[in-house]
Amino acid sequence: MTPAFTFFLGLILLVLFGWYFATDFGARKRLLAMVLVLLLVAFSIVTIWPPDKKIQLGLDIKGGTSFLIRLIPGERPITKANLEQAVEVIRKRVDYFGGGEPVISPVGTDRILVQIPGLDPAKIIEARAQLQRVAKLEFHLVHPQSSALISQFENGTGVLPPGYSIDTLTSERQDKKTESKILVKKKADLLGNHVTNAGASYGPEGWEVDLQFDSEGGAQFGKLTEQVYNEKSAMAILLDNKVISAPGVRNGPIYGGRAQISGGGMGENEARNLASALENPLQTPVSVEEQRSVSPTLGQDSIRSSIFAGLLGLAITLVLVLVYYKFAGLIANLALIVNIILLVGALTMFNFVLTLPGIAGVVLTIGLAVDASVLIYERLREELALGKSLKIAVQTAYEKAFSSILDANVTTLITAAILFWKASGPVKGFAISLTLGILASLFTALIVGRNLFSWFVDTGRVKKVSMLHLISSHNFNFLGKGFIACMCSLALLIAGATSFVIRGDRNFGVDFKGGDLLSLSAARTVEVAQVRNALKPLGLDNEPIQQSLQGERNFITLRLPLNTSEKVESAIRSSIPAGQFKVEREERVGALVGGELAKSSLWALGIGILGILIYVTFRFELSFAVGAIVALLHDVLITVGVFSLMGRELTLPLVGAILTIAGYSINDTIVVYDRIREGLASGMRGTIEKIMNTSINQTLSRTILTSTVTLIPILCLFFFGGAVLRDFSLAIIIGVAVGTYSSIFIASPIVLWWTRARGGSASSLRREVTQKSAVTTPTTAA
């Protein structure tokens, strides 16, 4: 599919979207909706198919290429600071290169393990060159009489001036290479360590690299260009001691600390890779010591189990929705299938690398998609109970559910957008899948589902809708149990925090604190599943195990907790005696989660929480925002605390699980808040406690149904997904259960208590919410 075709199709879709929202509801609007859906589904299928060549899978699912990099000692020995600097530089280069959640960790005292997924042979060569590029950038003056002095020197009629040497500049224009000699000052006039930012862009002379210097470097660069301009000479730019450009200064000295490297027929990839290297130069030269293809970190056995578990969970979800909501459930299932197609198509089109945290985002969006349908159908049930006709009830249900769906998804979208902006690695992967999933969920719920349902009703093909109603609305005093619930939560939080403090480093797995790297060569008949079974008695069968076949050699590599490699080796040898195992490498491996990654992720989460606070305050009121944040932190901290109490370790995949919990928590809480806001704004009689209790009881059916539907695929993953995914799925199970509890027993009492603590009253809360509802509540044009 050509870029031009994609552009014009996007333009057509944009016009159709505008036409759809500008059209009143009726036959024309439904026709536009059908055309939009068919075009998007067809485009997604073409983008996806064939899946084995289109969908990019991460290192944990498909495997990739492994590089073992050694730092080359110079006059001084390699220090810990050198190793840490090289790890962060390589991490940034691989992220810029499009590595898609790689494995990057220090090994021993002078090596770095880098594993990148999804590289074809050409990309492997490019990645190798990029990884070991030092990116030592220097600016040298070119002698004003360069050509004449070189000519005299080569003819034997002159000598080179002291402090200068002859270098070769290679240029490439229209696939033709030209070489020229220039007389360059030996000592650098400006070093590249003053470069603070570098980026690729397309300019008048083609692709170029834009540089930005710090204040000292900007001043030096200004003086340098002033000398070049006055002497009408040139300035040689050297990268790793090779001249890559020798531009002149045409329009006067360049001040302000900005410069460009352009010309020479530079291509897009070359410009982007050069910009990445210049922005992240290595202080210590490195060399690639070893390169090999590696199997997935999850293992083929775990991947097969997880695929089966995922399909089983999806099938059970579809059946459950169909049985409970009958005809309406059929519409919801069709919308869910369209949602999945659009989501996978978008992930493929944007070359997203699908990994375990990304899958967590997909699981959450499936739950959000079903939740939107549940919200609408529970509203439909209420409208029908009031005696309204089916046509009016459907229209009213979608209109009333719209604000809940919008607010719940926008708050989750705020978090996802900030995580994508500020974080990196697996956190960014989660954010991308969640963002695309939310957009797909909104489209399918408010356009696909509504128009399909309305068509059946308006044409008379469906005259009556029936649904099961297993959870009737009660008048349970939830707020009356708020204090007891908060005390139980506080006790659990204290117990979890105490356990976390006592266990210390034992709370964290190899991904966070490093451990042992054990590499064994074995007979070709040995499989990862056999090794995993051998580790079950040690309780280490969920650790990352990779296989690599090179000629007649079969390598099994394990990342293990610290000081466990000897007993692991012994267990494997005794369990698989025919394996003929030989230890190839046994050493300490550093953490996958470096300080920079952890810092950026925490900053992203903090800014995300601030974004939620601002949005919920704007849409509801400050006390609601405080309640939502408290409930979110409550759910995440209790999940982590329970994990500690159970003696489990936090690993990198659990980052995706915890983010999923945070997304589910805020979504669930906002839905309850929306019904409370509606009760307050509608003038419902009674005390504030009574209105809140009524609202929570009205949404109880939806809360339990959504939790159940979200848990089904996760439970299948827990029971059938294999040992590697068990902790991952267990964390989400705990988080969803706690999130359901907090949205009922924690979030709403916090609103009431916060209002009273700041001197407000029930009437003032009602007045503020009513005013905001009148100003900010949107209406759907769908």
Side-chain angles (χ1 to χ4, degrees):
M1 194 177 298
T2 63
F5 177 79
T6 303
F7 172 77
F8 283 114
L9 180 60
L11 198 60
I12 292 170
L13 290 172
L14 188 63
V15 171
L16 287 174
F17 265 111
W19 193 1
Y20 173 83
F21 286 108
T23 303
D24 293 331
F25 202 86
R28 179 182 296 177
K29 199 175 188 75
R30 282 198 297 272
L31 178 62
L32 287 170
M34 183 182 70
V35 173
L36 269 171
V37 173
L38 291 176
L39 281 175
L40 283 170
V41 169
F43 180 65
S44 297
I45 291 174
V46 171
T47 303
I48 298 166
W49 203 260
D52 60 328
K53 295 182 179 178
K54 295 291 185 69
I55 300 176
Q56 297 188 54
L57 301 175
L59 192 66
D60 49 1
I61 300 175
K62 191 178 180 180
T65 305
S66 175
F67 301 92
L68 186 63
I69 299 173
R70 180 185 289 275
L71 276 66
I72 303 172
E75 296 178 358
R76 298 178 181 178
I78 302 298
T79 64
K80 184 179 178 181
N82 295 141
L83 187 61
E84 290 176 350
Q85 192 268 346
V87 168
E88 291 305 325
V89 165
I90 288 173
R91 189 186 306 281
K92 291 175 182 177
R93 288 190 186 181
V94 173
D95 283 345
Y96 198 92
F97 183 71
E101 301 183 27
V103 167
I104 303 173
S105 65
V107 177
T109 58
D110 63 348
R111 281 173 292 175
I112 302 169
L113 178 67
V114 180
Q115 294 183 346
I116 308 175
L119 297 179
D120 57 36
K123 286 286 186 181
I124 290 174
I125 296 172
E126 189 178 349
R128 184 184 178 113
Q130 182 73 350
L131 288 174
Q132 58 188 357
R133 175 180 270 181
V134 177
K136 180 186 177 185
L137 182 69
E138 296 176 335
F139 297 85
H140 296 241
L141 282 173
V142 177
H143 198 283
Q145 300 176 333
S146 173
S147 298
L149 290 173
I150 291 175
S151 178
Q152 293 172 8
F153 176 76
E154 291 179 341
N155 292 334
T157 58
V159 295
L160 296 180
Y164 283 85
S165 63
I166 298 175
D167 282 307
T168 302
L169 170 63
T170 303
S171 303
E172 187 173 344
R173 292 278 184 167
Q174 299 178 347
D175 297 329
K176 292 183 178 179
K177 284 188 177 181
T178 58
E179 292 186 351
S180 57
K181 294 181 179 180
I182 54 176
L183 192 58
V184 179
K185 192 176 178 181
K186 291 180 180 180
K187 184 179 178 181
D189 294 279
L190 175 61
L191 298 177
N193 57 2
H194 292 290
V195 174
T196 58
N197 189 35
S201 61
Y202 193 83
E205 296 184 23
W207 283 96
E208 58 193 21
V209 176
D210 302 301
L211 302 176
Q212 185 172 346
F213 298 95
D214 58 22
S215 57
E216 183 183 348
Q220 292 182 21
F221 186 75
K223 292 179 181 178
L224 188 62
T225 55
E226 182 178 342
Q227 185 175 348
V228 171
Y229 180 73
N230 292 333
E231 294 179 355
K232 293 183 172 49
S233 60
M235 175 173 53
I237 303 173
L238 278 71
L239 181 65
D240 294 340
N241 299 318
K242 293 182 180 180
V243 180
I244 60 170
S245 180
V249 179
R250 290 174 289 189
N251 301 315
I254 303 171
Y255 300 106
R258 293 182 179 273
Q260 289 179 341
I261 299 175
S262 60
M266 193 184 308
E268 179 180 0
N269 285 339
E270 183 183 356
R272 294 192 183 280
N273 289 337
L274 177 58
S276 172
L278 293 179
E279 192 171 21
N280 306 295
L282 282 165
Q283 295 176 0
T284 308
V286 299
S287 64
V288 175
E289 186 177 78
E290 180 182 274
Q291 175 187 323
R292 64 171 69 157
S293 298
V294 290
S295 67
T297 55
L298 292 182
Q300 292 293 347
D301 53 333
S302 297
I303 293 169
R304 285 191 293 267
S305 301
S306 60
I307 291 173
F308 168 76
L311 293 176
L312 178 63
L314 180 59
I316 294 175
T317 301
L318 294 174
V319 171
L320 178 65
V321 172
L322 183 62
V323 169
Y324 194 83
Y325 286 112
K326 300 181 180 180
F327 170 76
L330 177 63
I331 301 296
N333 285 343
L334 290 173
L336 179 58
I337 292 169
V338 171
N339 185 355
I340 294 171
I341 292 172
L342 296 182
L343 176 57
V344 176
L347 293 174
T348 306
M349 183 173 67
F350 291 111
N351 295 318
F352 174 74
V353 181
L354 193 62
T355 60
L356 190 57
I359 291 173
V362 173
V363 169
L364 179 56
T365 58
I366 290 175
L368 296 180
V370 176
D371 180 50
S373 297
V374 171
L375 278 168
I376 293 164
Y377 296 156
E378 291 302 307
R379 285 284 192 173
L380 177 61
R381 189 199 306 278
E382 294 173 11
E383 298 302 320
L384 289 172
L386 294 174
K388 295 181 180 179
S389 67
L390 182 57
K391 182 176 181 179
I392 298 299
V394 169
Q395 183 177 348
T396 307
Y398 273 93
E399 288 175 353
K400 286 188 174 181
F402 179 73
S403 62
S404 296
I405 295 171
L406 181 69
D407 287 331
N409 282 280
V410 167
T411 48
T412 311
L413 193 61
I414 287 170
T415 307
I418 292 171
L419 287 174
F420 175 77
W421 170 46
K422 294 296 292 183
S424 59
V427 178
K428 181 168 286 189
F430 172 85
I432 293 171
S433 64
L434 182 58
T435 300
L436 295 176
I438 288 172
L439 297 176
S441 298
L442 288 171
F443 175 79
T444 53
L446 300 176
I447 295 181
V448 178
R450 177 169 188 173
N451 284 279
L452 194 56
F453 208 135
S454 298
W455 179 79
F456 277 103
V457 173
D458 292 350
T459 57
R461 287 173 169 79
V462 173
K463 298 180 180 179
K464 184 180 180 181
V465 172
S466 63
M467 312 172 190
L468 294 181
H469 196 190
L470 303 179
I471 307 167
S472 301
S473 180
H474 297 283
N475 293 317
F476 190 82
N477 185 11
F478 289 106
L479 262 69
K481 309 297 181 185
F483 179 77
I484 297 174
C486 285
M487 289 300 100
C488 291
S489 292
L490 184 61
L492 193 54
L493 283 168
I494 292 172
T498 303
S499 172
F500 200 88
V501 171
I502 291 173
R503 295 187 72 220
D505 284 348
R506 288 178 295 163
N507 289 296
F508 300 98
V510 180
D511 295 343
F512 285 89
K513 65 180 183 181
D516 291 346
L517 182 70
L518 178 63
S519 182
L520 305 171
S521 59
R524 292 184 65 87
T525 54
V526 175
E527 299 292 338
V528 169
Q530 294 175 272
V531 178
R532 199 175 300 284
N533 287 331
L535 298 182
K536 277 185 179 180
L538 301 177
L540 299 174
D541 53 323
N542 60 345
E543 300 298 336
I545 305 174
Q546 290 178 295
Q547 184 178 37
S548 174
L549 299 175
Q550 286 189 328
E552 296 299 319
R553 305 183 75 188
N554 178 15
F555 292 92
I556 304 290
T557 303
L558 306 93
R559 277 191 293 118
L560 304 162
L562 191 61
N563 301 323
T564 59
S565 56
E566 287 187 11
K567 62 180 181 180
V568 165
E569 179 195 344
S570 176
I572 293 173
R573 287 184 186 276
S574 60
S575 178
I576 317 172
Q580 303 172 21
F581 291 98
K582 177 185 175 184
V583 177
E584 297 289 341
R585 183 185 303 122
E586 181 182 350
E587 50 197 329
R588 177 75 182 269
V589 62
L592 295 183
V593 182
E596 193 68 27
L597 176 61
K599 183 180 176 181
S600 65
S601 299
L602 289 174
W603 265 107
L605 284 173
I607 298 172
I609 289 173
L610 179 63
I612 293 171
L613 188 71
I614 294 171
Y615 180 81
V616 177
T617 301
F618 170 73
R619 291 285 288 135
F620 294 82
E621 200 267 340
L622 178 61
S623 55
F624 286 88
V626 173
I629 298 303
V630 170
L632 186 154
L633 294 174
H634 166 277
D635 299 345
V636 171
L637 292 176
I638 282 187
T639 302
V640 174
V642 169
F643 243 65
S644 180
L645 287 169
M646 296 173 68
R648 308 262 180 169
E649 292 181 337
L650 297 177
T651 59
L652 196 55
L654 287 182
V655 173
I658 291 170
L659 292 172
T660 303
I661 293 163
Y664 181 86
S665 172
I666 193 68
N667 183 276
D668 208 20
T669 301
I670 292 299
V671 170
V672 175
Y673 280 177
D674 186 80
R675 184 58 72 99
I676 294 173
R677 175 179 62 183
E678 183 182 323
L680 290 169
S682 65
M684 185 185 294
R685 294 179 180 274
T687 63
I688 191 73
E689 290 93 339
K690 182 180 178 182
I691 294 172
M692 284 186 170
N693 272 321
T694 302
S695 301
I696 296 171
N697 277 284
Q698 287 173 339
T699 57
L700 184 62
S701 177
R702 167 262 157 202
T703 300
I704 295 175
L705 281 170
T706 300
S707 301
T708 303
V709 169
T710 305
L711 281 174
I712 285 172
I714 303 301
L715 285 168
C716 290
L717 206 60
F718 178 77
F719 288 110
F720 306 111
V724 177
L725 299 176
R726 194 151 293 148
D727 280 0
F728 171 79
S729 50
L730 177 62
I732 298 181
I733 291 169
I734 295 170
V736 170
V738 174
T740 304
Y741 155 81
S742 70
S743 66
I744 296 172
F745 290 103
I746 303 297
S748 298
I750 293 293
V751 174
L752 188 60
W753 298 338
W754 182 268
T755 302
R756 290 172 176 171
R758 63 190 183 95
S761 62
S763 57
S764 66
L765 180 63
R766 184 194 293 269
R767 184 171 57 254
E768 290 178 22
V769 169
T770 302
Q771 290 172 350
K772 284 184 178 290
S773 179
V775 174
T776 63
T777 299
T779 56
T780 174

